[in-house]
Amino acid sequence: MGFRITTNMMMSTYRYNLMQNTGQLDSSRNKLLTQRKFSSYAEDPAAATHAWRLRRSLTQNAGFQTSNSEAYTRINTAYITLKSINNNLVNGKDNQGGVKDAIERAESDPSGGARTALGKVLKDLAESVVFSMNGAKYGDHFVFSGNDEMNAPFTWDGKKLLYRGVNVNAGEVKSPATPPDWGKLIPVKTPEEGKGADELEEAWIDYYRNNGLSPAHHVPDWVEDYKQYKADMIEFNSKPAGPDNPSPPKEPALPEEMTALDEAWMAYLDTEADPAKLDPTKAPDQQPEPQWGDAELPSKIPEIDRTSSPWERAWAAYYTNMTADPPDPNVVCPKDVDPTQYDWYNEWKDNGTDLPPLDKTDDQGNLLYTDDVERAWLSYCHDQRDLKKLEAMMSETKVMDLGMGFQEDTGERDLIQTTAFNRALPGIAMLGYGVDADGDPQNLVSIMMRLSEIYANCDEESGDFATDEEREESYRLLDKFNQAHDRFNSAYTDVDTKGAFLQSNGTRLKDQEYNLKEQIADVEQVDLADALLDFSWAYYCYSSALKIGTQLLSQSLIDYMR
């Protein structure tokens, strides 16, 4: 039985095959034009997933490169500024015109008259350093402001340099519990050492001048041993070596003498029967103080009105008002100095609340804190608070993800520092802050300003320093300036190192970009030879389909017309 193939059936089959060939031609043409292996996820899910991951990494890499370039611009701005300060202001170009050159020329001036001019030069150079630090900007951001990039880092409050509103010399206010250098209890009539009338008086001189042991309430530990020594010596002397005594007792050892008070006790123990030297009825610990030992005003106490701080005023008031009591070198702080007596101190320590201002007034406009000791403690606490602020600002971070892994510690939720770049540049890290053990500033600008004041006070004609104290301070600060400059150079080197790292990191990111692009090409890009061959075959098939269709359509049309 035969099966009749109708024209309609042939046309349906033809159209289906033609559409298939057309689709294959279009697909091969797109591959050839786009050079992509696939145009949709469904075509190759595995390759599409891999390609998505690679392109995500490439996009992240582009962001890292942008951030790295921004960070490098900031760091390079800082580097250029520090280089300018170091070369032009501190060292001076070719070692001329800077701070060190100005100081060297002034100190080598035979007449010394250049010192007053040096004071003006140092002041101008110090201000120029501040201008340069404030002038380092990236767009609207101040480079040396740490985390607060929208405000100038350094400002002046009179002669006081502030970093973000905080005194850079924080730490200079001493605790009221610490006696000042001039607070040694030396009554004005105390003789010099070696000029006492006897051993006991020398012991009293040692007590007042050197904080030695007070003869009024101290018996040396070796007194009983010395009494035994005297008894042993009597026995030793009563049995001299000889034929009748072939084994005499060993000569006893004398207890070691150490202080002037020891000398007084030995004199007392050796002369009990000699009233001309010492009253045998009274041991040194029972002797009255010498007449010059009454508590007259110690010679080193300044006038209260000329003290420089509430801390010194508190001590001057304390020493000045002690006239009724004997001096006691064991006193370490003014009477009633315990700060816990003040409510504001307890609140600050217990709850972390802010401190009241020194100039706080009541409703009538009167200062609330007028007592010298309380003002000294309040001033000290303000200073300590500022010091803690500076320490906190020194450790500030402004982290950036520059493609180094940026990850948190899963346990503490703290950022792993080695996976991020810290772009924060606190200005005090470059110029220094706080004071050293001598109470001298560690900030480069503050040292320059203080030296400028000292040199400006010198005699304009002779160049002599105003006081011996200022001369000694100037020589001391010159050494401190060199130390501050060394710290500045160290910070300068750190910034240079950061810049070098960012350059290296930029190169690494570029290399990573090229590598990612190569991987993407391997996953997505077709082989052009294969793509061209596929396109040629698809085009041949399509052309063949059209030729067959022409024949079918022509025969069917003639049949229809007949």
Side-chain angles (χ1 to χ4, degrees), residues 323-448:
T323 53
D325 300 323
D328 183 1
N330 296 318
V331 172
V332 295
C333 54
K335 296 176 182 177
D336 302 325
V337 77
D338 183 7
T340 58
Q341 64 185 299
Y342 310 124
D343 293 338
W344 54 261
Y345 181 88
N346 294 323
E347 292 176 2
W348 181 53
K349 280 294 185 183
D350 297 340
N351 306 321
T353 56
D354 205 1
L355 293 165
L358 271 171
D359 55 357
K360 187 174 183 180
T361 58
D362 57 18
D363 296 337
Q364 289 74 37
N366 301 316
L367 283 174
L368 289 179
Y369 308 105
T370 57
D371 176 75
D372 283 333
V373 174
E374 185 172 10
R375 285 184 68 82
W377 270 107
L378 188 56
S379 176
Y380 171 74
C381 291
H382 272 282
D383 185 66
Q384 289 297 302
R385 180 195 61 183
D386 288 347
L387 182 59
K388 291 180 180 179
K389 286 182 178 179
L390 292 177
E391 291 171 348
M393 288 188 284
M394 266 290 293
S395 59
E396 285 179 344
T397 57
K398 196 83 169 179
V399 296
M400 300 179 70
D401 185 2
L402 301 183
M404 297 176 291
F406 203 79
Q407 185 178 2
E408 292 180 341
D409 190 322
T410 55
E412 300 295 333
R413 302 293 296 174
D414 292 329
L415 181 67
I416 300 176
Q417 296 300 321
T418 54
T419 64
F421 178 79
N422 178 23
R423 81 172 191 213
L425 295 174
I428 49 175
M430 321 302 160
L431 301 184
Y433 72 98
V435 297
D436 59 19
D438 297 326
D440 294 323
Q442 299 191 96
N443 180 271
L444 189 71
V445 173
S446 296
I447 295 175
M448 293 166 63

Side-chain angles (χ1 to χ4, degrees), residues 200-215:
L200 180 59
E201 192 158 290
E202 280 296 325
W204 278 105
I205 294 173
D206 180 60
Y207 166 66
Y208 284 119
R209 290 196 171 275
N210 304 321
N211 289 348
L213 299 173
S214 171

Side-chain angles (χ1 to χ4, degrees), residues 531-561:
L532 185 59
L533 182 62
D534 290 343
F535 175 73
S536 298
W537 174 252
Y539 185 75
Y540 174 76
C541 293
Y542 177 72
S543 298
S544 299
L546 288 177
K547 185 176 181 180
I548 294 173
T550 303
Q551 295 174 356
L552 288 174
L553 286 173
S554 176
Q555 182 180 7
S556 298
L557 178 62
I558 293 172
D559 290 344
Y560 176 77
M561 292 177 67

Side-chain angles (χ1 to χ4, degrees), residues 67-83:
S67 298
N68 191 85
S69 177
E70 176 190 348
Y72 178 74
T73 303
R74 290 174 181 272
I75 297 299
N76 194 47
T77 299
Y79 172 77
I80 293 172
T81 300
L82 296 178
K83 181 179 180 180

Side-chain angles (χ1 to χ4, degrees), residues 114-124 451-453 455-456:
R115 285 176 177 163
T116 53
L118 174 60
K120 178 68 168 61
V121 171
L122 286 177
K123 183 175 182 295
D124 292 342
L451 281 171
S452 73
E453 294 174 359
Y455 286 124

